[in-house]
Amino acid sequence: MLPNQERKLRVLVVDDSSFMRMVIRSVLEKDPAIEVIGVAMDGVEGVEKALCLRPDLITMDIEMPRLDGISALREIMAKAPTRVLMVSTLTCEGAKATFDALDAGAIDYIPKNVTDSIDAQKAFKEELLRKVKGSGISILGRSTVPPPPFPRIVVPPRPVTVPRLAGQRYQYVGIGASTGGPVAVQEVLGRIPGNFPHGIVVAIHMPKAFTGPYAERLNTKCSLQVKEAKAGDIVQPGVVLVTPGGMHTALVRQGSTVAIRTIATTECPQYIYVPSVDHMLTTFADACNGSLLGVILTGMGADGFKGMKHLKTKGGGTIVQDEATSTIYGMPRACIEGGVADTVLPLTQIGTEITKIAG
């Protein structure tokens, strides 16, 4: 067998739409690093082929006959844990189903937005390829055997801590995440008490239709109050504001408070990821004069590194998720290798550490 870095990423495509199977397959097969080893027309066939072919990665539709995508996902995770990307509709119900799938072990989702619009088709194809290849780096960079579904039980490594962070207190907390982030953010916020005395802002790469349902979901699962941020909202103690999808969010000083300002993506073309973690953290650090604890969780790419770097120049503190518990190590790796991580911790310890440092 070829070394991991030389062999192709083996992908199984599961979708009841012949058109979607054709689109996904054609996009992936154009990349020389990817091999589509099979397709399945519903969840039952998807489970069968997953067990037989043992792919590195599966793209899984949610709404399918005989066996829906979430049920198929749970069966695959129970019998042969594999990394799965859900193909989700851009609706409120689609968002809720997607978060159920992430709870069941999917690592991420691809918004299905294939319409007559050429721009929408292009965006879907680019997002599909980006997320499949990003997942492939994680899979082939470690092992030919896919890791178990997230969240994982691991033996926590010894935390890497810069002594100056100990004993510091901050007025605000800013959290950024991407791939694997919905579950990771829930884990972190779930360990912070409802009487937490500071405001929290979360920026996570999501489409516009998803951030509202996601905030509602977090609100039912955490002691903290969680809501989707709106322009003019004030960052308040014990309240988590989730930045809205489809646009960027800046934090601005408003008298003695810090408030939300939303910005169209056309005004900030330099930011690839939406909402931008870099922009949120950079403006947040300026608005609160550095009294900010920045946290970067699992995610693809390097969004958040520049924001964390700016935050440190303002005197703020930083926490970064470790590699062992990250679904995708891109965003945390960028911060660690860039020298802007004060503390590196397993996911299950981050919420407690935030409470200790900022509380």
Side-chain angles (χ1 to χ4, degrees):
M1 179 178 290
L2 292 173
N4 293 343
Q5 63 270 25
E6 295 180 8
R7 76 169 181 83
K8 294 185 177 183
L9 180 72
R10 303 167 67 252
V11 180
L12 171 65
V13 177
V14 184
D15 202 299
D16 67 319
S17 164
S18 59
F19 172 72
M20 286 304 302
R21 292 197 302 273
M22 177 191 69
V23 169
I24 294 173
R25 182 166 199 161
S26 66
V27 171
L28 298 183
E29 287 187 334
K30 286 178 182 176
D31 193 292
I34 300 171
E35 177 186 7
V36 176
I37 60 171
V39 296
M41 295 185 290
D42 57 40
V44 172
E45 187 180 8
V47 173
E48 291 172 351
K49 290 197 173 181
L51 299 180
C52 175
L53 300 175
R54 295 300 175 109
D56 296 314
L57 184 73
I58 300 170
T59 67
M60 178 81 73
D61 190 20
I62 292 180
E63 297 180 9
M64 295 185 291
R66 292 211 292 170
L67 189 67
D68 65 86
I70 298 176
S71 298
L73 168 69
R74 291 192 177 111
E75 194 168 334
I76 290 168
M77 289 305 180
K79 296 178 179 178
T82 309
R83 293 206 168 204
V84 178
L85 292 173
M86 306 304 293
V87 180
S88 311
T89 56
L90 281 171
T91 64
C92 182
E93 288 305 313
K96 292 176 181 177
T98 299
F99 299 134
D100 286 340
L102 294 174
D103 281 347
I107 63 166
D108 204 358
Y109 58 91
I110 307 158
K112 185 192 292 184
N113 192 23
V114 182
T115 65
D116 291 337
S117 165
I118 294 176
D119 289 342
Q121 293 178 22
K122 182 173 181 287
F124 171 78
K125 292 174 182 179
E126 290 176 349
E127 184 78 345
L128 169 66
L129 194 58
R130 183 179 72 84
K131 290 198 171 183
V132 168
K133 292 195 73 172
S135 300
I137 292 171
S138 176
I139 294 168
L140 300 184
R142 295 179 186 174
S143 170
T144 56
V145 180
F150 184 84
R152 299 176 288 275
I153 304 300
V154 299
V155 177
R158 183 178 178 181
V160 180
T161 305
V162 176
R164 78 168 190 83
L165 193 59
Q168 296 292 318
R169 292 293 181 267
Y170 305 96
Q171 292 181 313
Y172 301 94
V173 179
I175 301 175
S178 183
T179 309
V183 176
V185 169
Q186 180 178 311
E187 161 64 30
V188 170
L189 296 181
R191 294 178 184 267
I192 300 175
N195 63 351
F196 187 68
H198 307 298
I200 301 173
V201 178
V202 174
I204 185 167
H205 302 153
M206 278 186 182
K208 184 177 181 179
F210 278 41
T211 46
Y214 179 60
E216 292 173 6
R217 186 183 187 90
L218 288 177
N219 193 50
T220 66
K221 294 178 175 290
C222 304
S223 298
L224 295 160
Q225 179 187 346
V226 185
K227 56 173 286 189
E228 182 182 36
K230 300 290 188 297
D233 280 349
I234 302 299
V235 184
Q236 303 179 61
V239 178
V240 180
L241 297 178
V242 177
T243 61
M247 63 190 76
H248 296 302
T249 293
L251 282 301
V252 295
R253 172 60 61 175
Q254 196 171 88
S256 61
T257 63
V258 173
I260 294 288
R261 177 175 172 242
T262 55
I263 305 167
T265 56
T266 52
E267 294 184 36
C268 302
Q270 70 270 34
Y271 297 118
I272 299 173
Y273 301 104
V274 183
S276 167
V277 178
D278 276 331
H279 194 53
M280 183 274 286
L281 287 176
T282 298
T283 57
F284 206 170
D286 288 340
C288 66
N289 197 30
S291 186
L292 174 67
L293 179 63
V295 181
I296 293 295
L297 304 176
T298 174
M300 199 178 299
D303 190 21
F305 166 68
K306 291 180 180 178
M308 294 280 265
K309 185 176 181 180
H310 180 74
L311 165 61
K312 284 186 65 64
T313 67
K314 300 287 289 188
T318 60
I319 297 176
V320 174
Q321 186 175 348
D322 71 358
E323 181 176 8
T325 61
S326 293
T327 303
I328 300 290
Y329 191 46
M331 287 168 61
R333 180 196 294 274
C335 292
I336 294 168
E337 294 183 352
V340 298
D342 288 328
T343 301
V344 180
L345 291 171
L347 180 63
T348 54
Q349 296 182 21
I350 293 175
T352 302
E353 190 69 8
I354 291 172
T355 305
K356 184 192 308 180
I357 292 175

